[in-house]
DNA sequence: CTGGATCCGCGCGGATACTG
DNA sequence: CAGTATCCGCGCGGATCCAG
């Protein structure tokens, strides 16, 4: 079974939000779901769409999503091989809150940047009074 | 500055959902926000409420949340020291989608467990036909 | 009580090469 | 095209000790 696909998921505690993170909280899975939101995609399409992902990690992410019932994998008996991934009904149920979080991220970005700057400068000044 | 509090956050790509994960996608931050959802809490209260968290990670998580403007830290000049943490208005805006995700996690749990089981057995049988 | 400092293991994830 | 196999660095996070 190569690389243990039970990696991210399985047991956590019993905090629901932790369960969600266990499902899509790794580096690429959430973005995969986003890409699949516009309809089924082939492996290479995903690879190109998701900037910076390696084939290895894309495969692992897709395997996990598939194992947890969030993504389906259908192999078309063509040559060259042709595999399509798609989201399941389970994912539809979280599309909306996920969109809400995305929208919030965009809206809050300036405030967050400012908060970071404020925090950082607030912690630097006491160290180097002048300079 | 000790341990680089820029750990999780800062630059990612430009996928909004990745930004959210960068903010609260680490092991404990989301759960901290959940605990603070019922009102301000002291450090030790959080430590006890969040099963399995170490003082170190709780501190780091709180520092990150504070730095990104999601949590406030107020020190009451008492002896022994008394520090209270609370969520900011920024967090209020995502309480609802976060709740939605939590609710979904609870609802979907059986389906996910079943999907895992189906996937696992489906992958084991071809290996050991009998046994 | 509320942390900070240090040490360290382990697993995520990147790079690369190989395959049906 | 759609993966798999192997190697490996690095950073997350746990354990422990110390401090105001």
């Amino acid at each position: 079974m190569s690389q243990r696909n039970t990696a991210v998921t399985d047991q956590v505690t019993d905090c629901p939000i932790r369960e969600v993170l266990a499902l899509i909280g790794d580096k690429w899975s959430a973005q995969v779901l986003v890409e699949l939101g516009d309809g089924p995609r082939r492996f290479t399409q995903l690879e190109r769409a998701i900037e910076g992902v390696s084939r290895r990690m894309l495969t692992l992410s897709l395997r996990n999503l598939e194992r947890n019932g969030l993504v389906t994998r259908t192999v078309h008996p063509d040559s060259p091989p042709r595999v399509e991934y798609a989201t399941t009904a389970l994912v539809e149920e979280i599309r909306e809150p996920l969109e809400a979080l995305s929208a919030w991220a965009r809206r809050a970005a300036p405030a967050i940047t400012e908060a970071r700057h404020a925090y950082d400068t607030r912690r630097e000044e006491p160290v180097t009074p002048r300079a």
Side-chain angles (χ1 to χ4, degrees), chain A:
Chain A
M1 194 179 290
S2 70
Q3 191 124 9
R4 63 184 311 242
N5 39 29
T6 77
V8 183
T9 311
D10 288 8
Q11 228 64 349
V12 182
T13 54
D14 60 341
C15 176
I17 205 64
R18 292 275 306 271
E19 308 283 347
V20 175
L21 289 174
L23 290 171
I24 62 168
D26 68 323
K27 194 169 181 181
W28 305 106
S29 293
Q31 207 170 345
V32 168
L33 291 187
V34 169
E35 288 302 323
L36 292 180
D38 297 335
R41 291 286 183 275
R42 303 179 54 175
F43 186 87
T44 308
Q45 285 181 312
L46 290 173
E47 189 182 1
R48 280 192 294 255
I50 302 175
E51 174 111 11
V53 72
S54 64
R55 288 207 290 284
R56 170 182 143 81
M57 290 315 297
L58 182 54
T59 301
L60 289 180
S61 299
L62 287 168
R63 290 292 173 279
N64 260 307
L65 292 171
E66 186 193 0
R67 187 171 105 96
N68 292 305
L70 301 184
V71 158
T72 62
R73 175 178 183 269
T74 64
V75 182
H76 298 81
D78 301 3
S79 180
R82 180 199 165 92
V83 181
E84 283 209 333
Y85 293 92
T87 54
T88 65
L90 228 44
V91 180
E92 290 306 318
E93 304 175 22
I94 51 172
R95 176 128 302 139
E96 199 169 313
L98 250 34
E99 290 286 349
L101 288 179
S102 295
W104 172 82
R106 279 188 290 266
R107 288 201 320 272
I112 291 172
T113 302
E114 184 186 11
R116 289 210 271 250
H117 182 67
Y119 182 92
D120 290 345
T121 56
R122 187 169 70 228
R123 303 237 113 188
E124 276 170 16
E125 282 165 4
V127 181
T128 57
R130 78 188 202 296

